[in-house]
Amino acid sequence: MQQTGGGHQDILGALLNDSYKLVMTYSFFQNKMENDQTAFELLFRKCPFGGQYVIFAGLNEVVRYIKNFKFTEEEIEFVKQNILPSDANPKFFEYLRNLDSSQVKIRAMPEGSICFPKEPLISIEGPQGICQLIETAVINLVSFPSLIATNASRMRQLAGSAHLLEFGLRRAQGPDGGMSATQYSFLGGFDGTSNMMAGLRLGIPVSGTIAHSFVTSFSELNDVESAELNGVNIKLRAIEYHKKMGVKTNQGELASFIAYAQSCSNNFLCLVDTYHTLKSGVPNFLAVAFALDDAGIKAKGIRLDSGDLAQLSIQAKEIFKHYGDQFEKDVSHLKVAASNDINEEALIHFNKKGHKIDIFGIGTHLVTCQKQPALGLVYKLVECKNQIVMKLSEEYDKTTFPGQKNVYRVYTRSDQCVDIITSINYLPENNEFKCIDHINKQRYHIKPTFIESLLQPVDYDYVPDLHAAKKHCTKQLKEFNTKVTRLESPQKHLVLMSTEYYQMFQSKYDEIAIEEVIE
Amino acid sequence: MQQTGGGHQDILGALLNDSYKLVMTYSFFQNKMENDQTAFELLFRKCPFGGQYVIFAGLNEVVRYIKNFKFTEEEIEFVKQNILPSDANPKFFEYLRNLDSSQVKIRAMPEGSICFPKEPLISIEGPQGICQLIETAVINLVSFPSLIATNASRMRQLAGSAHLLEFGLRRAQGPDGGMSATQYSFLGGFDGTSNMMAGLRLGIPVSGTIAHSFVTSFSELNDVESAELNGVNIKLRAIEYHKKMGVKTNQGELASFIAYAQSCSNNFLCLVDTYHTLKSGVPNFLAVAFALDDAGIKAKGIRLDSGDLAQLSIQAKEIFKHYGDQFEKDVSHLKVAASNDINEEALIHFNKKGHKIDIFGIGTHLVTCQKQPALGLVYKLVECKNQIVMKLSEEYDKTTFPGQKNVYRVYTRSDQCVDIITSINYLPENNEFKCIDHINKQRYHIKPTFIESLLQPVDYDYVPDLHAAKKHCTKQLKEFNTKVTRLESPQKHLVLMSTEYYQMFQSKYDEIAIEEVIE
């Protein structure tokens, strides 16, 4: 398994944990239950963003965390001094000292999978003590990754063939929130990032150009010295083009573009809104781009960062054409990039206006998942000492699905796709499934032509890395029923229970439900 | 300066940065501008959450980051291979190798201060090269801390005298997002956390009890062995009380409470909603609490985690009283804790219903800042080579305030408080200020009785730590005009420009604005 290197290794210890986990583990220990065999499942109950799917992400990090789980002496001392009673059983600390994940087995969906509410994403089996203790970190390590991968996949759909860059480092929850955002937006469909640390540690393509402060650092043409590229004096040539254009633009901005072109001619994409996008930024850019062209170097384009981005992209390309015609220059390769508070609604609006944007840079709304900033993942006990376990609730939706399970994704001749939750040991007869929708009680008899078993045993030493997960995700999104994955009025994917599982579920429910007395 | 220890040290390097920063630095270097003296300011333009203030947080980490800024050889190699042109000037890499913060001076508001839009929170002065490069990390390190401290301070207001616990680790943006959330919600007014790593690294009080999976791990009374505390057999005594109550409750739940009491009698606070809060959880809790009382041990109380929390808190305390009377037991010390998706609206609703909740555990909506998940901090160049610098924009609100400044917070005899932005070298005559509201052009003559200068030089080796910042924040919130800090219809705090600063602002604006031609 490749180390993902995405940060937080210095704090991802056994104590990155809610304190009740330690309190419970101690109580289990005192009651000689710490080695009881248990099974837990990680799942969510509702899809985010008004959509009907989630991209499962974070598995690689979960496996790494569980594999390396170990208390340090400093952590044990903290628990002794701060969490447990002062007369706590000293044998418990010896137990903590020896605790590891050697007896924990994991089954999981492949990272990057499309998944649905109530389905186990990860199933964890092992002794009560350790399986209880890892809950908080497991939820943490899947929750934000899956949320942002899903968010990114939605933006990917809206952006069509445009290039998508993640620009959110400064808006994330701290440095590590930024690294996670970069990592999992890439998994979900982004093409690159501005975050160089993610380039270094995770091999994600990095790109970037200049900011407003670069432009405002120049106030006149004298602020830039001239340099020759392939025998062409870029500064003088740009000034000539500018003069021929006959426009009045900001001279500091022109100087900054010349300085940029002379140092990074291979990556000349100018931020054009410092003074006035169409009257100053775009003409200044073209003057320098044409000078570069005379030196045989292709400019990349412009970045819009304020105003009506769709409208400006159309107008900017008209200006490209106007001056291209005037100076007999090819401008067809010049790109328009756009940034500034872009979210789903903005992308929909741009599409309606027929924008000419080639590259989107998205920050805030990608990394904060503005529309729904948390995925309500839960980690539930489903078996204890080979007994199935269920938790009721006054809120029916919080009632858990007891027992270890499999999830089958089946495809039929009529091109339908259905997910089926079964007991773990259930094998369909003749590859056919008798199922039920446990809410409306509709019964189904399903005859698939292809069956996938979604939960696969995880080998601690080989879990696909970020790039493999991205590949899996891309393939899934390409092939899945678009009626389910689309953003506008998506259909609910059918998730059924096998009849045998439903019977077990219902009889357990009847066994433990508290009756309401009306008198 | 105390190391805060809040994580992300393994990724907080020079490359945790947007790549355009490196592109710009190289262009400056090629143009011999890397040592130009510059000044930058960190500010925001709009208060979050519909409020009228922000709590400034993150300074300690910013100072530590700047102080330790240094490129590693691995990072320089990455820049060479991935960011700059292949024929980049080799002297630039030598420059990066030697780059540090020794020439950077910082002025800042004290961490924990109440602050307002457009005011510089941090003012950074030094060579162009280094000052440009730190932008992304500085924004990142202040943005989420200030947002969550502000969010926490609002919940603090709504919770009155109740105890506030942060429960958000599992819902944060990764492990480090969790650590930041714990750290800065504590600064903004929370009393403690469930996050043990934050206890260990940051000295934040930690508390926690049990979860549903603890309760569901027990299915019958035989699952728990009996133990004596101070000569009382807790299991048998609890079963006796339970029998006398004459209620039918879940026996596994009762067993779990007995196990918990016997191991952690000093911290007996039961989660009561696993099966039925009022019919099962509360009576089971009381049976065990009374047994503990017989052993001379005070139980702590219950935690509600679903249903109508305000209503249940009232009903639970009625049941406490009912059985307290029946068994002649004092129940006045028993607390009700509540958790489950609590946000500002829920707290307002609870207050209206006259809730009896003593402790709130808040996770998701605290750490994700649901109402507004990002604070739009910006880092703007205001001076370059002793020239003031201004950035215009088609969006007027994005026009920057040029030049280095001071911010004075002045108080008058009539108990008014006003913030005044002045040029850095301005000294008020006779301690009086001539000011203007630069939007509506209203002029003011202010005669303060007390003047605070908010931006103070920062000593790299001594920056107040988290606990000092919390103290400052608490004091500020206690003393500040509640018309500004209140959540319902808050008033805008008056932030004015001194007349001399306004004149400079206006003349710079007139100098660089691009005129619109109408023909």
Side-chain angles (χ1 to χ4, degrees):
Chain A
M1 176 177 52
Q2 186 188 316
Q3 293 286 317
T4 66
H8 55 238
Q9 293 315 307
D10 53 343
I11 52 166
L12 190 50
L15 279 201
L16 190 81
N17 211 335
D18 292 309
S19 58
Y20 67 2
K21 287 288 158 193
L22 244 304
V23 173
M24 291 195 283
T25 308
Y26 180 64
S27 291
F28 286 131
F29 183 84
Q30 287 297 84
N31 217 48
K32 301 187 181 61
M33 294 166 72
E34 75 277 16
N35 289 319
D36 287 355
Q37 195 64 12
T38 55
F40 288 82
E41 284 177 358
L42 184 76
L43 62 134
F44 62 92
R45 298 190 179 110
K46 196 172 173 296
C47 294
F49 315 128
Q52 290 293 355
Y53 72 96
V54 159
I55 301 296
F56 167 52
L59 178 64
N60 188 306
E61 294 200 64
V62 163
V63 174
R64 190 151 44 107
Y65 162 73
I66 293 177
K67 183 182 173 187
N68 297 323
F69 187 93
K70 199 81 193 148
F71 277 90
T72 65
E73 286 304 315
E74 185 193 22
E75 289 177 325
I76 291 172
E77 193 57 30
F78 180 84
V79 172
K80 196 185 281 185
Q81 299 296 335
N82 296 275
I83 308 296
L84 295 186
S86 53
D87 60 349
N89 182 353
K91 284 184 188 153
F92 179 68
F93 302 108
E94 204 44 43
Y95 165 74
L96 288 187
R97 198 163 281 128
N98 295 317
L99 192 64
D100 64 28
S101 60
S102 52
Q103 292 176 73
V104 177
K105 283 185 209 154
I106 307 176
R107 293 182 302 136
M109 294 191 186
E111 187 158 3
S113 293
I114 292 183
C115 56
F116 301 98
K118 305 279 179 88
E119 295 178 350
L121 312 177
I122 305 181
S123 169
I124 291 175
E125 202 186 344
Q128 174 86 268
I130 176 81
C131 289
Q132 279 282 357
L133 274 173
I134 60 179
E135 168 174 339
T136 305
V138 168
I139 292 179
N140 177 294
L141 290 170
V142 173
S143 188
F144 181 62
S146 297
L147 189 71
I148 196 159
T150 308
N151 198 21
S153 76
R154 293 168 61 89
M155 290 178 172
R156 174 75 276 166
Q157 288 190 49
L158 291 170
S161 61
H163 203 68
L164 276 179
L165 298 176
E166 178 270 321
F167 278 5
L169 177 54
R170 62 186 63 194
R171 299 283 175 246
Q173 286 189 8
D176 180 48
M179 289 294 280
S180 302
T182 304
Q183 186 167 352
Y184 296 105
S185 60
F186 181 66
L187 190 159
F190 272 55
D191 300 297
T193 180
S194 63
N195 177 352
M196 292 184 288
M197 191 59 86
L200 174 63
R201 297 279 179 89
L202 303 163
I204 297 174
V206 174
S207 59
T209 56
I210 54 165
H212 295 115
S213 58
F214 183 81
V215 179
T216 53
S217 294
F218 295 78
S219 53
E220 52 180 351
L221 285 168
N222 284 335
D223 287 345
V224 58
E225 296 181 26
S226 57
E228 280 201 358
L229 296 176
N230 301 333
V232 176
N233 182 314
I234 299 297
K235 178 176 173 180
L236 293 184
R237 191 66 61 92
I239 292 172
E240 276 171 37
Y241 276 111
H242 184 268
K243 206 168 173 185
K244 285 185 196 153
M245 285 172 159
V247 288
K248 196 179 165 225
T249 64
N250 187 290
Q251 296 297 288
E253 185 183 55
L254 181 58
S256 74
F257 291 177
I258 292 167
Y260 176 30
Q262 291 181 163
S263 56
C264 297
S265 59
N266 65 327
N267 182 30
F268 186 63
L269 193 146
C270 289
L271 180 63
V272 290
D273 75 327
T274 306
Y275 301 100
H276 194 294
T277 299
L278 300 178
K279 290 181 197 297
S280 187
V282 173
N284 278 338
F285 160 73
L286 287 172
V288 183
F290 294 158
L292 278 181
D293 189 74
D294 289 347
I297 299 164
K298 295 274 177 221
K300 280 204 173 160
I302 59 169
R303 176 158 71 94
L304 308 168
D305 192 43
S306 58
D308 183 335
L309 301 175
Q311 183 62 22
L312 287 171
S313 72
I314 296 165
Q315 292 172 306
K317 287 207 167 164
E318 284 168 5
I319 299 175
F320 290 176
K321 185 166 184 318
H322 170 81
Y323 287 113
D325 290 349
Q326 179 178 337
F327 297 108
E328 294 178 354
K329 292 283 186 189
D330 175 26
V331 294
S332 62
H333 61 284
L334 297 179
K335 307 277 188 222
V336 172
S339 51
N340 189 28
D341 259 356
I342 294 174
N343 59 11
E344 283 187 12
E345 285 64 42
L347 290 169
I348 292 167
H349 166 79
F350 298 160
N351 288 340
K352 278 191 191 142
K353 299 247 305 197
H355 73 85
K356 300 281 185 192
I357 299 165
D358 305 288
I359 303 163
F360 291 104
I362 309 185
T364 310
H365 301 301
L366 173 65
V367 306
T368 63
C369 297
Q370 169 210 30
K371 259 191 163 178
Q372 182 182 323
L375 179 65
L377 277 180
V378 294
Y379 179 87
K380 289 293 169 192
L381 179 67
V382 295
E383 278 187 26
C384 187
K385 289 194 279 187
N386 299 316
Q387 302 286 313
I388 65 165
V389 167
M390 187 174 200
K391 180 199 158 289
L392 301 185
S393 169
E394 272 135 281
E395 296 166 43
Y396 179 74
D397 197 44
K398 284 193 167 186
T399 298
T400 60
F401 288 4
Q404 288 196 78
K405 313 166 186 67
N406 272 336
V407 182
Y408 292 98
R409 183 160 295 165
V410 304
Y411 303 83
T412 68
R413 211 169 38 180
S414 60
D415 212 22
Q416 296 217 50
C417 172
V418 178
D419 283 10
I420 304 168
I421 293 172
T422 74
S423 303
I424 186 163
N425 294 318
Y426 175 76
L427 282 177
E429 275 179 55
N430 308 319
N431 283 338
E432 296 189 359
F433 292 83
K434 298 270 197 181
C435 306
I436 185 165
D437 181 325
H438 86 292
I439 300 292
N440 69 16
K441 309 291 187 271
Q442 172 66 48
R443 286 172 187 270
Y444 295 84
H445 182 171
I446 300 181
K447 303 174 181 178
T449 49
F450 183 67
I451 301 176
E452 272 179 287
S453 178
L454 297 185
L455 292 170
Q456 295 295 334
V458 168
D459 177 346
Y460 281 23
D461 294 317
Y462 183 73
V463 181
D465 70 3
L466 174 65
H467 298 270
K470 180 183 174 67
K471 210 166 162 183
H472 182 62
C473 173
T474 306
K475 185 165 182 289
Q476 291 252 306
L477 280 168
K478 197 174 152 197
E479 293 173 359
F480 210 85
N481 183 355
T482 55
K483 287 179 185 157
V484 170
T485 55
R486 71 186 175 201
L487 275 53
E488 214 181 327
S489 314
Q491 279 180 14
K492 211 168 180 161
H493 180 66
L494 211 51
V495 179
L496 304 174
M497 285 179 181
S498 65
T499 311
E500 55 80 39
Y501 181 79
Y502 174 70
Q503 282 159 357
M504 188 267 282
F505 168 82
Q506 197 56 46
S507 82
K508 184 72 186 171
Y509 189 90
D510 293 343
E511 177 193 329
I512 61 170
I514 305 267
E515 65 181 14
E516 189 80 27
V517 178
I518 300 177
E519 49 192 356
Chain B
M1 176 176 55
Q2 188 190 312
Q3 292 284 318
T4 67
H8 55 238
Q9 293 317 306
D10 54 343
I11 51 167
L12 191 49
L15 279 201
L16 190 81
N17 211 335
D18 292 309
S19 57
Y20 68 3
K21 287 289 159 191
L22 244 305
V23 173
M24 288 195 285
T25 308
Y26 179 63
S27 291
F28 285 132
F29 183 84
Q30 287 297 82
N31 217 50
K32 301 187 181 62
M33 293 166 74
E34 75 278 14
N35 290 319
D36 286 355
Q37 194 64 10
T38 55
F40 287 82
E41 285 177 357
L42 184 76
L43 63 137
F44 62 91
R45 299 189 179 112
K46 196 171 173 294
C47 294
F49 316 128
Q52 290 292 355
Y53 73 97
V54 159
I55 302 295
F56 166 53
L59 178 63
N60 188 305
E61 294 200 66
V62 164
V63 174
R64 190 150 44 103
Y65 162 73
I66 293 176
K67 184 182 171 185
N68 298 323
F69 187 93
K70 199 83 194 148
F71 277 89
T72 64
E73 286 303 316
E74 185 193 22
E75 290 177 325
I76 291 171
E77 193 56 32
F78 180 85
V79 172
K80 196 185 281 185
Q81 299 297 335
N82 296 274
I83 307 296
L84 295 185
S86 53
D87 60 349
N89 183 352
K91 284 186 189 151
F92 179 67
F93 302 108
E94 204 44 42
Y95 165 74
L96 288 187
R97 200 163 279 127
N98 295 316
L99 193 64
D100 64 29
S101 60
S102 53
Q103 291 176 76
V104 177
K105 282 186 211 154
I106 307 176
R107 294 180 303 136
M109 293 192 187
E111 187 158 4
S113 293
I114 293 183
C115 56
F116 301 98
K118 305 276 176 96
E119 295 178 352
L121 311 177
I122 304 181
S123 169
I124 292 175
E125 201 187 342
Q128 174 86 268
I130 176 81
C131 289
Q132 280 280 357
L133 274 174
I134 59 180
E135 168 175 338
T136 305
V138 167
I139 292 179
N140 177 294
L141 290 169
V142 173
S143 189
F144 182 62
S146 297
L147 189 72
I148 196 158
T150 308
N151 198 21
S153 77
R154 293 168 62 89
M155 291 180 172
R156 175 75 276 168
Q157 289 190 49
L158 290 170
S161 62
H163 203 69
L164 276 179
L165 298 176
E166 178 270 319
F167 278 5
L169 178 54
R170 64 187 61 193
R171 299 282 176 246
Q173 285 188 8
D176 179 47
M179 289 294 279
S180 302
T182 305
Q183 185 167 352
Y184 295 105
S185 59
F186 181 67
L187 190 160
F190 272 54
D191 300 298
T193 180
S194 63
N195 176 354
M196 292 185 288
M197 191 60 85
L200 174 64
R201 297 280 178 89
L202 304 163
I204 297 174
V206 174
S207 58
T209 57
I210 54 164
H212 294 115
S213 59
F214 183 81
V215 179
T216 52
S217 294
F218 295 78
S219 54
E220 52 179 351
L221 284 166
N222 284 336
D223 288 345
V224 60
E225 296 181 24
S226 58
E228 280 200 356
L229 296 176
N230 301 330
V232 177
N233 182 314
I234 299 298
K235 178 175 175 180
L236 294 184
R237 191 63 63 90
I239 292 171
E240 276 171 38
Y241 277 112
H242 185 268
K243 206 167 176 185
K244 285 185 196 153
M245 286 172 158
V247 288
K248 194 178 166 229
T249 64
N250 185 289
Q251 296 296 288
E253 184 183 57
L254 181 58
S256 75
F257 290 177
I258 293 167
Y260 176 30
Q262 291 180 162
S263 56
C264 297
S265 59
N266 65 328
N267 182 28
F268 186 63
L269 193 146
C270 289
L271 181 62
V272 290
D273 75 327
T274 306
Y275 301 101
H276 194 294
T277 299
L278 300 178
K279 289 182 198 295
S280 185
V282 173
N284 278 339
F285 160 73
L286 287 172
V288 183
F290 294 159
L292 279 181
D293 189 72
D294 288 349
I297 298 164
K298 296 271 177 224
K300 280 205 173 159
I302 60 169
R303 175 158 71 95
L304 308 168
D305 193 42
S306 57
D308 182 335
L309 301 175
Q311 183 64 21
L312 288 170
S313 73
I314 296 165
Q315 292 173 305
K317 286 207 168 165
E318 284 168 4
I319 299 174
F320 290 177
K321 188 170 180 316
H322 170 79
Y323 288 113
D325 290 349
Q326 178 178 337
F327 298 108
E328 295 181 353
K329 292 284 188 190
D330 175 27
V331 294
S332 62
H333 61 284
L334 297 179
K335 307 277 190 224
V336 173
S339 51
N340 189 27
D341 258 354
I342 293 175
N343 59 11
E344 283 186 13
E345 286 64 40
L347 290 169
I348 291 166
H349 166 78
F350 298 159
N351 288 340
K352 277 191 191 141
K353 299 247 306 196
H355 74 84
K356 300 281 185 193
I357 299 165
D358 306 289
I359 302 163
F360 290 104
I362 309 185
T364 310
H365 301 302
L366 173 65
V367 306
T368 62
C369 298
Q370 167 210 32
K371 259 191 161 178
Q372 182 182 324
L375 178 65
L377 278 179
V378 293
Y379 180 87
K380 289 292 170 192
L381 179 67
V382 294
E383 278 186 29
C384 188
K385 290 194 276 185
N386 300 315
Q387 301 286 313
I388 66 165
V389 167
M390 188 175 201
K391 177 198 160 292
L392 300 186
S393 169
E394 271 134 282
E395 298 166 42
Y396 179 73
D397 198 43
K398 285 193 166 186
T399 298
T400 60
F401 288 6
Q404 287 197 79
K405 318 170 182 62
N406 271 335
V407 181
Y408 291 99
R409 183 160 294 164
V410 304
Y411 303 83
T412 69
R413 214 168 37 178
S414 60
D415 214 23
Q416 297 217 50
C417 172
V418 178
D419 284 9
I420 304 167
I421 293 171
T422 74
S423 304
I424 186 164
N425 295 318
Y426 176 75
L427 283 176
E429 274 178 55
N430 309 317
N431 284 335
E432 296 187 1
F433 292 83
K434 298 272 198 178
C435 307
I436 187 165
D437 181 325
H438 85 292
I439 300 293
N440 70 15
K441 309 292 186 272
Q442 171 66 49
R443 285 170 188 272
Y444 295 84
H445 182 172
I446 300 180
K447 303 172 181 182
T449 51
F450 184 67
I451 300 175
E452 273 179 285
S453 178
L454 296 186
L455 292 171
Q456 295 294 333
V458 168
D459 178 348
Y460 282 22
D461 294 316
Y462 182 74
V463 181
D465 70 3
L466 175 65
H467 298 268
K470 179 182 175 65
K471 210 165 159 184
H472 181 62
C473 173
T474 307
K475 186 166 181 290
Q476 291 252 306
L477 281 168
K478 198 173 150 198
E479 293 174 358
F480 210 85
N481 183 357
T482 56
K483 288 180 185 157
V484 170
T485 56
R486 71 186 177 201
L487 275 54
E488 213 181 328
S489 313
Q491 280 179 15
K492 209 167 181 163
H493 180 66
L494 212 51
V495 179
L496 304 173
M497 285 179 180
S498 65
T499 312
E500 55 80 39
Y501 180 78
Y502 173 71
Q503 282 160 357
M504 187 268 280
F505 168 82
Q506 197 55 45
S507 80
K508 185 70 186 173
Y509 188 90
D510 293 342
E511 177 193 329
I512 61 171
I514 304 266
E515 66 181 12
E516 189 80 27
V517 178
I518 301 179
E519 52 193 351

